Amino acid sequence: MQPPRTLLRRLLVLRASRSPSIARPFTRHTKLDSRVRPQIPFLSVPLARNQQFRYLTTERKRWLAYEVFLGIKYTVYVWAIVGFSVVCYWSVQQEWLERKYPTPHEWGFLTRLRFRLAKWAPDRTDTPTIDWVLVGNYAKNVLERLEDEKVEGAGLQPNKTEGAELSGYDITAKSEPWRRGYYEALMLCAKAAEHLDDQVVDKKRRFVFPRDQVLGPSNPNPKPISHGSPSAPHEKDCERAYESPETFYNKILATKGFTPKQKMDAALEYASWLDFKGLSDASEQVYESALALATESSSPVPPYDPQSFVLHDATRQPSSNLLTALTALATHKARSGDVATALPILLSILRARRSLPSPKPTQTTYTESEEAHSSSPWTLQNIVGISKRLILPPAYPPPPDDGNSPPVRDAKELCEEAGLDLYIGEIIYTSSPSGSRSSREDGLAWTREAVDLAEEQLHKLNTRGNADEASTAAAKKTCRECLSSGLENWRTMVARLAREERERGAKEPAKASGGWLVGLWGDGKTETTGGRWAAEEKVLEERTRRVLEVLEESEAPKAGFGSLFWA
């Protein structure tokens, strides 16, 4: 009998030999020598004829939601940075404008904003021309807000004429900054009205055009419009673009609460406008009314001759308002051709100005802290001052001088005196007969003296410290204008004299100075080297170059980054 283990082995062999030779399905397509994972049929995904897949799976939904969230977040960040940058730039700009063009603190936000923009527009350097339409709209809007009782004009009392027409207001109840701002708004409206006097607005398209470009029977030959501008309007669709300047000047003169100097300045501007329009008689009446305003607060007896307007030689010195009004009246008479009346007035004003007292020297004692302050901007005093200027709003400037007291003979008044020398020299030069060389030389001498005086004062202003920046800037402006005008007058006078000198030299026969020997070596003609005025032309060229350096030095800003941190 066989052992059990051997019997079991034979039974297994017989069963394997009797079974059919069918290959195992999971090894049919499998390479035994392959090292990759075998493809088992029951583990593969069955494929249907209509194949459908899930592209938007749960993971993809989460990814898309996260990407959308990031896009929105970064978009919000970018727009927030852009918005904050614009607001920061606008805030810094308004702070700079408020310091350069201060506005009364009691006004509302919109009124102050539009007033700053209206005052800034004529001084902008980033635009090729001044947009007087924009200036006029801003100034008029400010004026309307100031005269509106519901906005800024609470407590205004209207002044009405006999015909129940509104001529002005009584603003005596308002504060001084409010009255000064109201006066500046009226003057700005008048200045815009002067520049828009020949402009019309198309009522349909709201475009502003010059009057000479309008199509209509009153303008048979219209000027062509500039390239890129809208088509020319028709006369029936047009109206005046702005009120007349007389409206605003008369309102200033009829308003109660303005100082005599403010009314005098408005009257002088009004008279200058009438001069420009060719209304000489009306202009002279306004000049005389300005002269009456200048002497309103003085004694009943005027310090000048009412007929000739020449100042009396008295011990009482004239006021600043009187000197300004008389100078304007004299220049008006000179432009009108009444030189015989203008020249004595100007000479009397010059004598009065030369008799003015000199400014008192200010004695200042410098301490160690002040010396440190003047040598370095990084001191505690400067840092505290800068912090206050950045945090606190700028104070409204104090009221200017009323002009009722006589001025002192400082740099600005000396440049005004140089301006008088220019007027006198120009009058003497132009009124002299054609054959009178001595009178022309006298006029040229007055012009030289004016240029020397203005250049000297401007050089002193450039070299000294700016104790009072406002007064120094005003003095520099006066000296620059006087110096530029003086050089131009001097150049014109010398050029005319040199041309006449050359014409006289051409008419005279040439004289040979070499005798008979000249014929052997030359043509017998003498070489003309020019006379006195030709030589002065060359001197004037060198003088002009030197003056231009002084003018550039006066306009140069503070140098260095540390100048931004001065308190």
Side-chain angles (χ1 to χ4, degrees), residues 165-179:
E165 295 181 359
L166 180 63
S167 60
Y169 291 93
D170 186 359
I171 60 173
T172 54
K174 293 292 185 178
S175 62
E176 194 277 333
W178 195 100
R179 297 197 301 268

Side-chain angles (χ1 to χ4, degrees), residues 273-494:
W273 165 251
L274 293 176
D275 257 342
F276 174 76
K277 299 297 288 185
L279 305 175
S280 180
D281 296 336
S283 174
E284 186 166 352
Q285 293 179 3
V286 178
Y287 276 119
E288 293 179 2
S289 65
L291 188 59
L293 289 169
T295 57
E296 190 178 50
S297 59
S298 61
S299 60
V301 180
Y304 59 88
D305 188 354
Q307 299 297 327
S308 62
F309 302 102
V310 176
L311 283 172
H312 297 309
D313 294 333
T315 56
R316 185 165 58 94
Q317 295 172 344
S319 64
S320 178
N321 291 342
L322 179 59
L323 293 175
T324 303
L326 276 178
T327 304
L329 179 61
T331 54
H332 160 72
K333 289 184 176 297
R335 285 193 298 265
S336 301
D338 192 2
V339 179
T341 306
L343 188 57
I345 299 175
L346 291 174
L347 290 174
S348 66
I349 297 172
L350 183 60
R351 285 194 300 268
R353 284 193 175 277
R354 289 181 176 177
S355 64
L356 293 175
S358 301
K360 297 180 180 179
T362 56
Q363 297 179 356
T364 56
T365 57
Y366 295 96
T367 60
E368 296 181 358
S369 60
E370 290 175 345
E371 293 177 359
H373 171 75
S374 62
S375 60
S376 174
W378 304 105
T379 58
L380 180 61
Q381 183 179 1
N382 282 335
I383 294 175
V384 172
I386 288 294
S387 302
K388 289 182 178 179
R389 292 180 63 185
L390 293 177
I391 296 174
L392 300 178
Y396 196 69
D401 186 18
D402 57 0
N404 293 327
S405 58
V408 294
R409 205 162 178 238
D410 55 1
K412 184 176 183 299
E413 295 301 324
L414 286 173
C415 288
E416 294 285 353
E417 181 180 324
L420 287 175
D421 292 340
L422 281 182
Y423 291 146
I424 296 172
E426 187 174 353
I427 290 174
I428 294 176
Y429 185 90
T430 56
S431 62
S432 61
S434 59
S436 177
R437 296 178 56 186
S438 60
S439 299
R440 292 185 180 182
E441 292 180 5
D442 291 341
L444 187 57
W446 281 92
T447 305
R448 288 198 203 98
E449 183 180 354
V451 172
D452 294 340
L453 183 58
E455 183 181 2
E456 179 186 1
Q457 296 305 315
L458 187 59
H459 183 70
K460 289 181 179 179
L461 291 172
N462 293 337
T463 54
R464 78 176 187 184
N466 294 337
D468 188 358
E469 294 185 359
S471 61
T472 302
K476 283 185 176 181
K477 180 181 178 181
T478 304
C479 292
R480 283 197 300 266
E481 293 176 353
C482 180
L483 188 56
S484 301
S485 301
L487 276 177
E488 187 66 25
N489 289 357
W490 190 0
R491 188 181 300 109
T492 304
M493 294 175 183
V494 171

Side-chain angles (χ1 to χ4, degrees), residues 76-116:
V76 172
Y77 286 169
V78 169
W79 280 107
I81 292 174
V82 172
F84 289 153
S85 301
V86 172
V87 171
C88 181
Y89 171 78
W90 184 82
S91 302
V92 172
Q93 183 192 56
Q94 294 303 314
E95 180 71 17
W96 174 76
L97 289 176
E98 177 62 27
R99 295 183 183 278
K100 189 173 183 180
Y101 308 104
T103 55
H105 296 172
E106 56 190 299
W107 288 2
F109 174 77
L110 288 178
T111 307
R112 299 177 66 182
L113 172 65
R114 292 168 183 172
F115 191 47
R116 285 193 295 264

Side-chain angles (χ1 to χ4, degrees), residues 505-506 508-515 518-519 522-530:
E508 294 178 359
K511 296 181 180 180
S513 60
V518 177
D523 55 358
K525 294 183 180 179
T526 58
E527 182 181 359
T528 58
T529 59

